[in-house]
Amino acid sequence: MDNITVGNVLKNRYEIIAELGKGGMSTVYLAKDLKLESYWAVKRVRNDSSVDIEAFKMEVELLSSLNHSDIPRIVDRIEVDNYYFVIMDFIDGISLKRKVQTEGPQKEEDIVDWVKMLCDILIYLHTTKSNPIIYRDMKPDNIMLTQNGRVKLIDFGIAKECVRNEKQIGIGTKGYAAPEQYGGASNILDERTDIYSLGATIFYLATGERPANPPNGVKPAGSVNPYISEGLEYIIHKCTRDNPDERYNDCYELKDDLNNIEKMTGYYRSRMVKKLLSFGICMAICIISIIFTVVGHNGLEKKKKDNYLYYYNLAVASVRKGDLDSASQQYLKALSYDASEVGTYLEYFNSILPVDNDEKYDEKLESAINIMRNSYINNSKSEMYMNEELMYAVAKKCLELTDVGYISYAAEYIKILSEKNYKADDLLSYGIISENLSENFEEIDFESLYKALEELEDITDNKAMTIDDKLDNYYNIMKVYSRYPLYLSEQNGKITYSYEKIAEIGEKARLLIDENILSEEIEFKGIIKLHEMAASGLCSKVSYLDDNIEKYNAYKEAMLWFGYLYDYNAELDSTLQLKKANAYMGLYEYADGNNAIRDINNIDYAIDEYKKIALKDDSNFVAKVYLTEALLKKELAVKDREKDYTQVIQNYGLVEELYKTSKDKLSSAEITRYSALKQEMINAGLEVTE
C-alpha cells in the first residue's frame, strides 16, 4: 500500500476515488463504499518512527466514542502492511477559511448562526464525559460548511480530555490558540480555552484578517472592519481576553449573548446616547445648534479640513522617518475627517504594505489587500466602494502573490475596470496575465501570456507613468517569468530566455532605482526581492548552458547582483545563499577558457557561505554535501603545502551520518549529489564506508 492509487480497494469494499489532501502525518482520500453505494473519507497513516501513531490511535478512539451530528463518525478501521486506514464520514463542503479567502468577511447574521452551531458542538464536547474534552484547535481551517448550511468540526488530532485544574502541555495554532496554550505559569486548559479560539475564529470571519500571535493578541475587530456591530465586537473581545477568568465561563453563556446580540447592540448605543444627554443643558444646546446650523456649517467644514491636513501631514512626516506603523494610524485619522481623497487611501495602502525583507511578507501583503478590499472597495458603505483607482492598485498587488485566490481577485477587478473603460495603458496586458494565472496550470495559454508580458514591458519602457508604477510593472513581469521559466522560454525557442529576461528587466529596474533612490517620489518596497530574483535567475540559467564560457559569465553577472544585495545589507535565505556559494564555486571551476585565472579564494568564499547555511540549519543536507565537496576541491587544488584532508573527512562523516538518518526523506537529486561526492572521495584516494 506504499503507492495507493485511484482504483485500489480496501477490505474488498472501499474503492479509492480521489486524494482529498495531505496533512502533517496523514493522507485523506475519498472512497466509495461498494456495498452501500455511499461515500466515505479514508484517512491513511503510516506506522513508522516519523509519526506519533499512539497520538493518532488516541484521536481515533476519541472520535469513536463521540456521537454528535456535526462531528465525523468513525465507521471502520483497517490495518494493511505498515499503514492504518480509518473510514469516516465524508463532509461535502468548504472550509470557512477558504470561504473567507474567496468571498471576504462574512455576513454577520451568517457568522452568528455558525457560531451558535459551534457552541452546541463545544457544549457536547465539554459535557459528554466527566472531564471536558478540550478541542484545542478551533480555527476556520477545521470548520466545514456543508451544502445545507450546517457547520461540521473536523480534525480532532489534538483534542483531549483534560482533567480539571491539571496542567497540560501547550499546543495549538498560533493566532487562534489561547495564551495558556503557549506556556507560562498557568497551563490549565478548560472550556474557556476553546472559547478563546472560537472568539479568534469569529474575528477572522468578521474581518478577513488572521488574528495576531501572543503577546499581541486579538486586536479590536472594529479597527479592521468599522461596520461590525457593537454586540459582535463585544463578544469577540470577551471571548479573547488574555485572562481566562474574564472570558465567558462556558458556551451556554456565549450562546445566550449570541441569541440576544441585537439587544446588546441596542444597549450599547443607548448607553452612548445617555452619556451625551447627561449634561443638564444638552437639550438647550441642541436647539441652539439647530438655529445656528447654517451659520456654523462653514466653520465646521473648515475645522474638519484643518484636522484632515494636520493628520495627513503627520502621516507624511512619519513616512519620511520610516515609521510606517505610525503613518498608517495618522492616515486613518486623516480619512476620518475627509473620506473622499482617493490619494490618501493609496498612501495608506502603501504604508500598511510589508517591506520586502520581511520574513512574513506574503502573510502581511494578504492582510493589507484584505483591509483595502473588505473595508473599502467591496464595502458599499465606504466612500471608496468600487473606486477604480484604488481597485487597480490592489489588483496589481494581488499579482505579487502565488495564491490563486488573490490572483482571481486581480482578474475580477481588472475585468470590472475594463467594462468601465478605465484608462490605463497596461490594463489589457494585466487582464490577460491575471486571467491566465488564475487558471489551472493545464489551462494556461502560455502563448498569450508571453505576448502580454512583452506588451507590458514595452508599455512600461515607453509610456509616461510614475516611477513606482514602472517598478511595480517590472517586478510583476519578473515574478511571472520566475514562476514559469521553462514554459515561457519555449515561446521564444530558447531554453534560457526567461532567465535572461529576468536579469534584463531587473537591470532596467535597478538603473531606475539608482537614478531615483534619493528622491521622495520613489516608494517602491520590492527593491531587495527584485535584486534577489535577478541573482537567482542568473544562477538558474547556468543549469541550461552547455558552454563553460557562458556559465562563467552568468555566474559573474550573478555575483554583481549579490554585490548589490550586500550593499543593501540584505540577509539571504538559505536557498539564495546556497546559490551564492555555488556561484563562487562556478567562478572557480569555469575560469579556464575565459582568459581568467582560477582563483582559489573563490573556493574559500564558497566554503564560508556553506558554513553559514549549515550553522543556521544543522539538518541542511545539501549544504553539508556542497561544503564537503568545496573542502575536497580546495585540498586537491593547493600546491604550496602538503595536503591535509582532516576537515574533508570530518565533514564527510557528518554527511554520512545525516544521510543514514534522513535517507527516506531525501529527494532523488540530493541522493545523486551524495553519490557523486562519495565517488569524488574515492577518486581522491580517501576511504569511505560502503
Side-chain angles (χ1 to χ4, degrees):
M1 282 291 169
D2 278 348
N3 296 309
I4 190 168
T5 58
V6 172
N8 285 151
V9 179
L10 299 171
K11 207 176 179 179
N12 295 319
R13 179 171 178 175
Y14 306 104
E15 181 183 1
I16 301 300
I17 302 299
E19 182 180 307
L20 297 177
K22 290 184 178 180
M25 66 178 188
S26 63
T27 304
V28 180
Y29 301 94
L30 174 65
K32 181 178 181 181
D33 189 326
L34 300 177
K35 184 177 179 180
L36 300 177
E37 293 294 315
S38 56
Y39 290 89
W40 305 102
V42 177
K43 192 170 187 177
R44 184 190 75 164
V45 173
R46 183 183 179 90
N47 183 15
D48 64 17
S49 59
S50 66
V51 172
D52 187 351
I53 200 68
E54 292 306 315
F56 174 69
K57 287 182 177 179
M58 287 175 64
E59 176 191 358
V60 173
E61 290 304 319
L62 177 62
L63 273 176
S64 299
S65 70
L66 302 178
N67 183 21
H68 190 283
S69 59
D70 293 324
I71 297 174
R73 295 172 299 157
I74 301 287
V75 297
D76 206 346
R77 283 172 269 190
I78 304 167
E79 187 172 349
V80 180
D81 299 330
N82 291 323
Y83 289 95
Y84 288 95
F85 295 87
V86 178
I87 318 300
M88 62 179 67
D89 283 326
F90 167 62
I91 298 172
D92 186 12
I94 182 175
S95 74
L96 290 188
K97 179 180 180 181
R98 188 61 184 158
K99 189 169 178 64
V100 172
Q101 285 179 330
T102 55
E103 299 176 7
Q106 300 298 293
K107 294 177 182 177
E108 188 163 312
E109 55 266 34
D110 289 338
I111 296 172
V112 170
D113 286 343
W114 297 335
V115 176
K116 284 193 278 189
M117 285 185 264
L118 290 168
C119 281
D120 289 338
I121 300 172
L122 289 177
I123 288 170
Y124 171 77
L125 292 174
H126 294 164
T127 60
T128 191
K129 294 182 181 289
S130 57
N131 288 300
I133 296 171
I134 307 303
Y135 181 65
R136 298 200 293 176
D137 205 18
M138 178 70 71
K139 59 183 178 180
D141 316 56
N142 289 344
I143 306 166
M144 298 294 290
L145 179 65
T146 65
Q147 301 292 334
N148 62 3
R150 297 293 302 178
V151 293
K152 308 277 186 178
L153 200 56
I154 63 171
D155 196 347
F156 280 68
I158 63 172
K160 183 180 181 182
E161 185 177 352
C162 294
V163 178
R164 291 197 180 279
N165 300 317
E166 185 177 287
K167 290 189 176 182
Q168 305 289 333
I169 297 173
I171 193 169
T173 300
K174 289 186 176 180
Y176 294 96
E180 60 265 28
Q181 291 178 261
Y182 289 92
S186 174
N187 285 101
I188 295 173
L189 309 186
D190 57 24
E191 294 92 332
R192 298 169 298 179
T193 302
D194 282 339
I195 286 172
Y196 181 98
S197 301
L198 184 53
T201 299
I202 302 171
F203 175 88
Y204 177 79
L205 297 176
T207 66
E209 183 174 304
R210 179 188 174 93
N213 300 335
N216 299 322
V218 178
K219 69 176 83 170
S223 68
V224 183
N225 180 357
Y227 303 103
I228 190 173
S229 73
E230 296 103 321
L232 191 60
E233 183 167 17
Y234 170 81
I235 287 170
I236 294 170
H237 179 67
K238 187 167 182 178
C239 286
T240 56
R241 301 290 288 172
D242 285 348
N243 184 349
D245 293 337
E246 297 175 3
R247 300 175 205 154
Y248 291 100
N249 287 314
D250 52 45
C251 286
Y252 290 108
E253 286 187 9
L254 171 55
K255 190 175 179 182
D256 186 56
D257 269 1
L258 288 165
N259 284 327
N260 294 283
I261 194 167
E262 291 183 3
K263 294 179 183 177
M264 291 172 63
T265 301
Y267 167 72
Y268 291 120
R269 286 178 178 164
S270 65
R271 190 169 67 175
M272 290 173 67
V273 171
K274 285 178 182 178
K275 283 184 178 180
L276 292 174
L277 296 176
S278 62
F279 300 98
I281 59 172
C282 184
M283 188 59 70
I285 292 174
C286 289
I287 295 170
I288 294 169
S289 67
I290 292 170
I291 297 171
F292 289 100
T293 293
V294 176
V295 177
H297 178 73
N298 290 338
L300 289 172
E301 287 301 307
K302 184 178 184 303
K303 181 66 174 175
K304 284 174 66 177
K305 189 65 178 177
D306 288 345
N307 285 336
Y308 166 81
L309 290 173
Y310 172 77
Y311 286 113
Y312 177 83
N313 288 329
L314 284 179
V316 172
S318 294
V319 170
R320 288 174 180 165
K321 290 189 292 185
D323 187 356
L324 296 180
D325 287 338
S326 174
S328 65
Q329 296 304 313
Q330 305 299 349
Y331 279 128
L332 283 177
K333 287 180 181 177
L335 289 167
S336 71
Y337 290 101
D338 186 353
S340 64
E341 295 286 343
V342 66
T344 308
Y345 286 91
L346 290 167
E347 290 177 58
Y348 167 61
F349 183 38
N350 195 54
S351 73
I352 61 176
L353 291 170
V355 291
D356 64 351
N357 59 345
D358 195 309
E359 289 181 351
K360 297 183 178 179
Y361 183 87
D362 283 2
E363 184 180 317
K364 291 183 179 180
L365 178 55
E366 288 177 11
S367 176
I369 290 170
N370 289 337
I371 288 171
M372 302 311 292
R373 289 183 70 252
N374 303 327
S375 297
Y376 306 113
I377 301 172
N378 290 2
N379 193 326
S380 60
K381 297 179 182 178
S382 165
E383 289 212 24
M384 289 296 112
Y385 177 63
M386 299 298 281
N387 182 275
E388 296 171 15
E389 192 174 353
L390 194 59
M391 188 182 289
Y392 197 43
V394 171
K396 290 171 77 170
K397 282 298 172 186
C398 285
L399 289 171
E400 285 190 29
L401 296 162
T402 55
D403 187 300
V404 174
Y406 285 92
I407 295 172
S408 297
Y409 297 156
E412 173 194 341
Y413 284 164
I414 291 171
K415 184 178 179 181
I416 292 170
L417 292 167
S418 298
E419 291 170 353
K420 290 186 172 185
N421 295 315
Y422 180 71
K423 301 300 181 185
D425 293 318
D426 49 10
L427 183 66
L428 178 60
S429 298
Y430 267 121
I432 296 169
I433 292 168
S434 61
E435 282 182 24
N436 273 292
L437 296 186
S438 63
E439 297 286 350
N440 293 326
F441 178 82
E442 295 80 8
E443 297 173 358
I444 295 176
D445 182 351
F446 284 102
E447 183 178 356
S448 68
L449 180 58
Y450 170 83
K451 289 179 180 176
L453 290 169
E454 294 264 286
E455 179 68 17
L456 181 57
E457 181 185 354
D458 182 66
I459 290 168
T460 308
D461 288 344
N462 299 304
K463 296 287 185 178
M465 58 180 67
T466 67
I467 295 167
D468 283 323
D469 283 342
K470 281 182 178 287
L471 291 174
D472 275 333
N473 286 357
Y474 285 141
Y475 182 80
N476 282 330
I477 295 168
M478 291 170 71
K479 283 213 75 167
V480 179
Y481 275 120
S482 297
R483 191 172 176 185
Y484 302 110
L486 299 184
Y487 295 93
L488 289 167
S489 290
E490 286 176 0
Q491 307 306 313
N492 187 265
K494 189 177 179 185
I495 194 121
T496 57
Y497 180 78
S498 291
Y499 298 117
E500 291 167 2
K501 289 299 293 182
I502 292 168
E504 177 189 319
I505 297 168
E507 182 63 15
K508 293 180 187 178
R510 190 188 67 78
L511 291 173
L512 197 59
I513 292 167
D514 285 354
E515 291 168 4
N516 297 278
I517 195 65
L518 299 179
S519 169
E520 291 180 0
E521 295 178 11
I522 184 168
E523 295 181 346
F524 178 69
K525 292 184 177 182
I527 292 175
I528 291 175
K529 284 187 175 294
L530 187 148
H531 283 68
E532 287 177 344
M533 271 195 287
S536 179
L538 287 162
C539 290
S540 298
K541 173 183 172 182
V542 174
S543 302
Y544 302 97
L545 296 174
D546 296 320
D547 184 82
N548 285 354
I549 294 176
E550 290 181 346
K551 289 182 179 182
Y552 179 88
N553 290 333
Y555 276 135
K556 191 174 180 181
E557 191 177 351
M559 290 310 303
L560 285 175
W561 285 93
F562 283 119
Y564 302 145
L565 285 165
Y566 180 81
D567 292 339
Y568 283 112
N569 294 316
E571 184 175 346
L572 308 182
D573 63 26
S574 294
T575 301
L576 198 57
Q577 197 164 10
L578 194 65
K579 288 189 174 186
K580 181 180 179 182
N582 290 345
Y584 276 126
M585 290 302 299
L587 289 177
Y588 173 79
E589 291 176 359
Y590 301 120
D592 291 349
N594 289 277
N595 297 319
I597 300 171
R598 280 194 170 188
D599 186 356
I600 200 169
N601 287 325
N602 281 322
I603 299 182
D604 286 328
Y605 299 146
I607 288 170
D608 287 341
E609 296 296 331
Y610 292 135
K611 284 181 176 178
K612 288 176 188 175
I613 301 168
L615 192 63
K616 283 191 291 187
D617 181 8
D618 191 54
S619 64
N620 194 315
F621 182 76
V622 173
K624 290 192 173 183
V625 170
Y626 279 127
L627 173 59
T628 309
E629 284 183 341
L631 290 167
L632 178 58
K633 280 186 171 65
K634 180 179 177 180
E635 286 307 312
L636 292 173
V638 295
K639 297 177 181 177
D640 56 349
R641 62 170 173 78
E642 188 174 336
K643 299 186 188 304
D644 180 4
Y645 293 104
T646 305
Q647 281 194 65
V648 179
I649 295 168
Q650 182 182 2
N651 277 273
Y652 183 79
L654 295 173
V655 170
E656 276 194 314
E657 187 177 321
L658 191 55
Y659 177 79
K660 290 173 184 175
T661 57
S662 57
K663 181 167 53 177
D664 293 339
K665 300 176 185 177
L666 298 177
S667 67
S668 57
E670 289 171 327
I671 293 172
T672 300
R673 196 78 202 184
Y674 168 76
S675 299
L677 170 61
K678 190 173 185 179
Q679 189 58 51
E680 288 174 27
M681 295 286 288
I682 294 170
N683 293 343
L686 300 175
E687 290 185 8
V688 296
T689 57
E690 291 299 326

